[in-house]
Amino acid sequence: MAFGGVLPLYSKRNGPWTFRRIFRSREKVLIFLVCLTFLFVCIGPIFFLPDLRGGLSTRVDHVYKVYKQMQKAGPELILPPPPPQSGEEGAIRKHEGVYHNVLDHNDIHLSDDKQRLMEKINNDEELRHMRVIEKPVVLTVSSTAANKANQIIQQVDESIKVQQVNDVEPERHGVPTKEVKAPLPVVQGGEDADPVARQRRDKVKEMVLHAWRGYKTYAWGKNELRPVSKRGHTAGIFGRQDMGATIVDALDTLYIMGCMEEFNEGRSWIQYHLDFNQLRSEMSVFETNIRFVGGLLSVYSLTGDPLFRDRALHIARKLLPAFDTPTGIPYALINVATGVAKNYAWASGGSSILSEFGTLHLEFVYLSDISGDPVFTEKVMRIRDVIRKTDRPDGLYPNYMNPKTGKWGQRHTSIGALGDSFYEYLIKAYIQSGGKDEVAREMYEEAIGVITNRLVLKSNSGLTYIAESKFNRLEHKMDHLACFSGGMYALGAKKIESQVSSTHMDIAEGLANTCHESYARTPTGLGPESFRFSEGIEARALKSSEKYYILRPEVIETWFYMWRFTKDPKYREWAWNAVLALEKHCRSEAGYSGIQNVYMENPQKDDVQQSFIFAETFKYLYLIFSDDSLLSLDEWVFNTEAHPLPIDGKNQFYRKAHGTFIGTVLR
Ligand code: DMJ
């Protein structure tokens, strides 16, 4: 083969491999071009790569940063040994599409690595079934709240450092730089002009941090804390396993308060430990939705961090088998490992409960909107269709429906337990849609119209209350839970301008006052679980089983809405009295506990710090003492667990997915 054409020739004339002296001019040009390219490749990056532009010291910095990141990544960078053969210690097996550890390893560090590895493998499995969702647009500040927050955020609390998220590198928040490069939106702030309100708000923040530290110290990863005996607690609604319910429920509250260190602790736990693939016991579909799915969706909309969106989707998909009933009305409980769902045996012959299957709408519609997967919206629309088209006795919605037959159960209607948040989600679905969901509006107006005519009453001394209807007879009792309805009436009156608006505002004010009376008429300053109205008593519990207080938020929730809509200072005063009462009777060394009898001077503690104290009670207190720019009601709507969700068309953090869903939904 001859090489005399383009390439230079070599000869062995004066020693080994010397170049021929004379090159042809074409060869010279070629050599020049090759040298030039070589130089360009070597020197070019210094000018064109931003990380190297800053000179040698920046380059050293860069190398150092990479080194630090490798150090941090630790075990993740070390390749795991080849998986042992089946039956060996630590083997990882795939079962029903999910990888499991066959045997636990004794070395906790190794098992931690393994857990992470398994999570990664499982996540990858899921990703294969999921559409690749485009990187979310992480917005910088321009909503009302965010703008205001940017001005106010400069003021830093002495005791609690409030970090402005914009100023902090993403990895310092535990947010992977790979996922979120742009600054997170800032929604902290909202400091009131009134110095007293500011001080009170700081106090609420201190309470949150106290409760969080107790949980972190004694019950980290458990569902809830027992703040007196200082250990973990789990309620039946969460199943028997440790699913970190408090962490998920608390996260958005920590975020809006600017408690970034605590927020990041929670985020990391969610990233590495929140795993519904490991669940083996039954969970409540409703509670999982409002606390886990709602909580995660809320922090997703606030931060734009896709981890939260993906976890919310993962969990919601696990709930879907509960909807496989002849009517589409879901069962109350689901074993996510087996997909077997059922109802509570006590619920009117195995019926589903109105406040449970009627409180999925906000989260499910939002899930579809941010994922592009219509399955969630389809599920809740089907529920709505069924209940809308089924005749109601006297126009009232009974609390029970049989998911197999679509027939209403016992004739019991309540705006308290078993009914409450169904009504709440009608008006809120209308608000969430940016006023487009006319069906939700009509259903709300109709349902609330009947309740107003038949169940809203005045006591002898003029206290407004909402009775319950049982087999056509009125029971003059109001649950603490029913006290949310003051806020709902007010929200409805403001969001749907109609001829009943002013009546509804009056009812709202009346209910806020009655619920306050239920607090004021106890020596503890905290209200009972239920209270009654009769010839003898007003706004007081009758039975001993009605006298406890479990840190519920509904009364404060109504005061929050009334404060926002009326600016009557009494609501702030009432809220402050509740803070003082919580401090006096519920605070313990490790957190906050419910009490067994609000009518005792020194009540016994029930030793449970409910997860909703973070999600709701503390959040509403904090917001009452903030100015209206923080989570403006023009931009946000709160789910029933007080997790704010953005309003479509009004809030730029809505983060709607563009394009249609492709791929298989992981069930
Ligand atoms: C919360 O989990 C929710 O507000 C739910 O709708 C009913 N009540 C509890 C707190 O009381």
Side-chain angles (χ1 to χ4, degrees):
M1 200 188 279
F3 290 100
V6 182
L7 296 173
L9 297 172
Y10 301 97
S11 68
K12 236 184 165 181
R13 204 182 299 155
N14 299 321
W17 297 106
T18 47
F19 281 106
R20 200 182 63 196
R21 271 205 205 120
I22 302 162
F23 289 99
R24 294 190 197 116
S25 57
R26 265 167 73 195
E27 288 170 357
K28 282 183 193 159
V29 170
L30 194 71
I31 290 169
F32 175 72
L33 283 176
V34 168
C35 292
L36 198 67
T37 310
F38 180 72
L39 271 177
F40 183 79
V41 168
C42 292
I43 302 171
I46 294 175
F47 298 100
F48 295 109
L49 292 181
D51 275 346
L52 296 179
R53 208 184 294 148
L56 189 62
S57 72
T58 326
R59 257 168 276 155
V60 172
D61 268 8
H62 179 74
V63 172
Y64 181 67
K65 257 193 211 160
V66 172
Y67 164 73
K68 283 306 253 183
Q69 276 169 9
M70 286 174 73
Q71 258 193 339
K72 257 194 257 161
E76 282 173 47
L77 280 184
I78 301 166
L79 281 177
Q85 295 309 300
S86 117
E88 270 181 46
E89 192 176 71
I92 293 168
R93 287 254 198 82
K94 196 181 177 194
H95 171 64
E96 290 171 355
V98 173
Y99 289 88
H100 303 279
N101 221 349
V102 172
L103 282 173
D104 280 333
H105 200 288
N106 290 337
D107 183 333
I108 51 160
H109 303 98
L110 285 182
S111 72
D112 195 34
D113 296 346
K114 224 174 319 168
Q115 195 173 345
R116 286 184 196 187
L117 172 65
M118 279 192 296
E119 185 179 54
K120 278 190 178 150
I121 297 170
N122 285 328
N123 281 348
D124 286 352
E125 274 291 288
E126 281 175 31
L127 285 174
R128 244 177 278 147
H129 295 278
M130 287 167 73
R131 169 178 90 89
V132 177
I133 301 169
E134 68 280 2
K135 202 174 144 193
V137 182
V138 180
L139 299 156
T140 44
V141 186
S142 72
S143 75
T144 328
N147 276 331
K148 189 93 181 181
N150 255 353
Q151 296 157 16
I152 298 169
I153 199 82
Q154 313 303 337
Q155 303 166 7
V156 176
D157 185 319
E158 277 308 300
S159 56
I160 309 142
K161 288 266 178 290
V162 179
Q163 297 276 16
Q164 185 181 10
V165 191
N166 265 349
D167 289 346
V168 184
E169 284 174 31
E171 67 263 34
R172 281 180 53 196
H173 288 288
V175 177
T177 30
K178 199 177 130 240
E179 299 270 30
V180 183
K181 287 204 180 94
L184 299 174
V186 176
V187 288
Q188 297 98 329
E191 284 214 311
D192 202 84
D194 174 7
V196 176
R198 284 211 297 275
Q199 236 176 30
R200 291 176 172 183
R201 193 171 89 135
D202 286 348
K203 173 64 197 167
V204 176
K205 192 187 222 169
E206 184 277 328
M207 293 165 81
V208 169
L209 290 173
H210 173 67
W212 179 260
R213 280 180 202 129
Y215 170 75
K216 190 178 143 189
T217 310
Y218 301 108
W220 188 242
K222 308 277 179 207
N223 288 319
E224 289 171 326
L225 164 74
R226 287 194 177 277
V228 179
S229 52
K230 299 180 181 167
R231 60 201 161 104
H233 165 76
T234 193
I237 51 169
F238 301 122
R240 287 186 305 276
Q241 281 161 267
D242 299 334
M243 303 309 293
T246 293
I247 298 175
V248 183
D249 235 5
L251 220 53
D252 58 356
T253 302
L254 293 169
Y255 186 81
I256 63 158
M257 290 180 175
C259 302
M260 296 318 296
E261 202 184 310
E262 291 73 16
F263 173 82
N264 288 324
E265 291 163 356
R267 186 199 179 278
S268 294
W269 189 89
I270 288 171
Q271 183 173 17
Y272 296 113
H273 302 283
L274 180 63
D275 183 3
F276 269 58
N277 284 330
Q278 292 182 359
L279 246 186
R280 291 289 169 270
S281 58
E282 281 160 354
M283 279 190 86
S284 153
V285 172
F286 159 77
E287 299 287 356
T288 304
N289 176 58
I290 65 168
R291 301 191 200 209
F292 286 86
V293 177
L296 291 165
L297 288 177
S298 192
V299 272
Y300 170 61
S301 66
L302 290 168
T303 64
D305 182 345
L307 170 80
F308 300 121
R309 173 199 60 202
D310 297 346
R311 284 291 197 281
L313 277 165
H314 170 69
I315 295 171
R317 287 188 175 118
K318 297 274 180 202
L319 302 180
L320 293 180
F323 294 75
D324 292 339
T325 64
T327 56
I329 300 290
Y331 286 115
L333 296 166
I334 179 139
N335 183 324
V336 299
T338 60
V340 174
K342 65 176 189 193
N343 274 337
Y344 296 105
W346 55 261
S348 186
S351 290
S352 301
I353 296 164
L354 183 68
S355 66
E356 298 201 338
F357 64 77
T359 310
L360 301 161
H361 200 97
L362 300 187
E363 297 81 2
F364 273 43
V365 165
Y366 190 50
L367 278 166
S368 281
D369 281 356
I370 58 172
S371 67
D373 183 351
V375 68
F376 305 104
T377 299
E378 285 163 12
K379 297 289 180 202
V380 288
M381 289 303 178
R382 183 156 176 223
I383 296 174
R384 194 159 88 172
D385 262 15
V386 171
I387 51 182
R388 194 160 62 109
K389 290 176 184 155
T390 309
D391 278 345
R392 294 182 296 283
D394 303 321
L396 291 168
Y397 283 94
N399 287 339
Y400 304 101
M401 179 175 264
N402 187 310
K404 291 189 183 135
T405 62
K407 291 206 162 66
W408 296 114
Q410 259 173 33
R411 301 283 184 267
H412 177 197
T413 296
S414 162
I415 200 108
L418 308 173
D420 51 6
S421 43
F422 161 69
Y423 304 96
E424 176 186 357
Y425 269 35
L426 293 178
I427 178 65
K428 288 184 173 176
Y430 170 70
I431 295 168
Q432 180 191 37
S433 72
K436 291 192 209 87
D437 189 346
E438 284 296 321
V439 175
R441 184 182 59 77
E442 277 167 28
M443 285 177 78
Y444 174 74
E445 287 183 318
E446 213 187 330
I448 261 356
V450 181
I451 294 224
T452 307
N453 292 337
R454 298 177 63 95
L455 303 181
V456 174
L457 300 168
K458 280 220 181 221
S459 72
N460 289 341
S461 72
L463 295 179
T464 303
Y465 66 98
I466 308 187
E468 296 189 9
S469 166
K470 276 190 179 159
F471 300 103
N472 264 338
R473 291 188 51 196
L474 291 183
E475 188 176 17
H476 299 269
K477 176 196 90 158
M478 236 180 121
D479 290 336
H480 191 290
L481 288 166
C483 282
F484 90 94
S485 58
M488 178 184 69
Y489 265 99
L491 195 61
K494 293 290 170 188
K495 296 285 180 175
I496 307 172
E497 293 288 335
S498 75
Q499 77 261 28
V500 294
S501 287
S502 86
T503 313
H504 283 197
M505 265 323 268
D506 290 347
I507 293 172
E509 205 181 326
L511 292 170
N513 181 57
T514 301
C515 293
H516 173 251
E517 285 301 317
S518 79
Y519 275 47
R521 295 173 189 208
T522 70
T524 53
L526 295 165
E529 178 66 2
S530 302
F531 47 89
R532 295 176 181 265
F533 299 86
S534 68
E535 288 303 317
I537 55 165
E538 290 200 349
R540 279 182 68 94
L542 195 61
K543 305 177 185 170
S544 56
S545 59
E546 296 169 343
K547 294 181 177 168
Y548 60 86
Y549 172 69
I550 55 166
L551 309 171
R552 287 200 191 277
E554 292 78 14
V555 174
I556 296 165
E557 173 182 348
T558 279
W559 297 341
F560 158 71
Y561 283 104
M562 295 309 290
W563 163 254
R564 281 275 172 109
F565 292 134
T566 68
K567 288 289 168 297
D568 186 332
K570 76 181 175 200
Y571 297 114
R572 275 188 164 169
E573 286 312 308
W574 292 351
W576 182 243
N577 289 338
V579 166
L580 298 178
L582 283 167
E583 285 299 272
K584 184 164 177 203
H585 298 290
C586 301
R587 187 169 177 135
S588 70
E589 201 182 285
Y592 291 84
S593 161
I595 53 175
Q596 289 177 1
N597 187 341
V598 293
Y599 297 101
M600 309 268 282
E601 295 283 348
N602 291 305
Q604 271 214 317
K605 295 193 168 64
D606 70 7
D607 199 13
V608 178
Q609 179 171 280
Q610 305 278 346
S611 78
F612 53 66
I613 193 177
F614 287 97
E616 302 187 75
T617 314
F618 286 145
K619 188 185 284 122
Y620 286 127
L621 284 170
Y622 187 78
L623 290 174
I624 285 183
F625 299 118
S626 299
D627 81 17
D628 297 2
S629 65
L630 184 56
L631 299 178
S632 155
L633 293 175
D634 295 330
E635 295 172 347
W636 300 92
V637 60
F638 292 89
N639 89 339
T640 193
E641 189 79 357
H643 294 305
L645 297 173
I647 297 178
D648 194 8
K650 307 265 169 79
N651 189 324
Q652 57 182 319
F653 300 147
Y654 197 86
R655 306 176 194 286
K656 202 175 270 195
H658 298 290
T660 46
F661 183 81
I662 47 168
T664 321
V665 181
L666 182 82
R667 294 270 187 336

